[in-house]
Amino acid sequence: MQLGSGVVDLLSGLPAWQGFLVLVGSGVALALVIRVLGDRLIRRVTPHIEGDVDDIVFRGIHTAVYVTVGLGGAYAGAQIYDIRPAIAVSLEAGTLSLVVIVWMVTLLRIGRQASAIATDSAYIDRQMVPILQNVWSALISGGGVLLLLVLWDIDVTPLLASAGIMGIIVGLAARDTLANFFGSLSLYLDGTYAVGDFVVLESGERGRVEDISVRSTVIRTRDDILVTVPNSKLNSAAIVNESTPRRKRRIRVPVGVAYGTDIDKVENILLELAEAEDLVQDRPNPRVRFREFGDSALNFELLCWVSNPALTARATHELNSAIYKRFRADNIDIPFPQRSISISTEEIPGELFDQAQSKSKPTDDGGVTGE
């Protein structure tokens, strides 16, 4: 074979086995030089970059680089020197396979370490880290396996066809899992809620979001019970997030008073009680609204704000208790619906009326006897 000048001419003058060993040794020596110089460069560069992800990436790739260079000598020797075809093919494929495996393992390790650091990052939502890690691992593993099959001259066309059929089968069997996975992506991209938010589900359950995973969301209810809801259901349901855009929440306390009550006095009492309650915020100011003339009462509504959605039930309890006590002290009636029922005997059928009369006959002493 015709070789170029310089180093290649020098190598061509050597026997094949000697030249091959020289290339392998040169690759190993160059790998050692890259390792030593690379370690020094990493120690100088990484301290000037914020965060720890860069340190993980540089150090992880550094190992794969000098291993690749070391194996490159064996690959170059198989390309330059005439080696028996059976040995050359196996040597080339084996060398490249080692390179692919080294890089695949390196990238998977980098992904796991970067995910562990990103979990505590303030710039990335914690619930998205496992999703990104799973996607990264699937892409790296799939790409690495495909390259290995191509290197060993294995026809991947039947495998791709089989993978398509298996994909359909797995998709049908795991449609709930896939729906939950894509539901978690939609919830994250839409910013529906985050860990710590107070939400109200379409079913009426209300609580704080404790955890968001790839499959489901865990909510702690007001009864201190953990409820796990699949993300696919949350993605298609109406969810009220009480923690956005602000954590302040307005509460409504309906009050009814009897007709004839001084409405100005009622309004002043309600505002006074709201201002005296510690759970009620001063800003925005509490307010009272005269809503309607009800069937049995004049209906008012006290509107005020609390600092956290978790305080709405407690604040409502405190205000209701204070309003009831104050109204009793000031002789303000809280009416309740009353109904009077009258029955006319003319509307009762004759036979039934006669039976009722015969069953109740007056006696001489003024009593009633029944047959």
Side-chain angles (χ1 to χ4, degrees), residues 248 250-251 271 274-275 280-289 302-305:
K248 283 186 177 182
R250 189 169 75 168
I251 60 176
L271 291 177
E275 293 172 357
V280 175
Q281 297 288 296
D282 296 333
R283 294 288 185 273
N285 297 326
R287 62 195 67 178
V288 176
R289 294 291 181 264
L302 172 62
L303 307 175
C304 51
W305 295 78

Side-chain angles (χ1 to χ4, degrees), residues 25 56 67 112 139 217 241 277 302 333:
I56 293 174
V67 170
R112 288 194 298 270
L139 292 176
T217 296
N241 190 341
E277 176 56 48
L302 172 62
D333 293 332

Side-chain angles (χ1 to χ4, degrees), residues 96-97 99-101 103-105 107-108 135-151 156 160:
L96 293 178
S97 297
V99 172
V100 171
I101 293 173
W103 278 98
M104 184 170 63
V105 173
L107 294 177
L108 290 175
V135 173
W136 173 262
S137 300
L139 292 176
I140 297 300
S141 301
V145 172
L146 183 62
L147 286 176
L148 291 175
L149 294 177
V150 173
L151 289 175
V156 297
L160 293 177

Side-chain angles (χ1 to χ4, degrees), residues 70-128:
L71 294 175
Y75 181 78
Q79 292 289 323
I80 293 176
Y81 292 99
D82 293 329
I83 305 177
R84 285 184 298 175
I87 299 177
V89 172
S90 300
L91 183 60
E92 293 176 8
T95 303
L96 293 178
S97 297
L98 288 176
V99 172
V100 171
I101 293 173
V102 167
W103 278 98
M104 184 170 63
V105 173
T106 299
L107 294 177
L108 290 175
R109 184 184 296 113
I110 290 175
R112 288 194 298 270
Q113 295 175 351
S115 298
I117 294 178
T119 302
D120 300 327
S121 174
Y123 302 99
I124 301 177
D125 287 346
R126 182 165 61 92
Q127 61 266 24
M128 278 301 297

Side-chain angles (χ1 to χ4, degrees), residues 286-297:
R287 62 195 67 178
V288 176
R289 294 291 181 264
F290 183 6
R291 292 304 186 190
E292 63 178 353
F293 297 92
D295 295 337
S296 304

Side-chain angles (χ1 to χ4, degrees), residues 25 46 64 103 123 166 259 267 279 300 320 323:
T46 53
W103 278 98
Y123 302 99
M166 289 299 298
Y259 277 89
E267 182 175 353
L279 297 178
F300 290 80
N320 280 333
I323 291 171

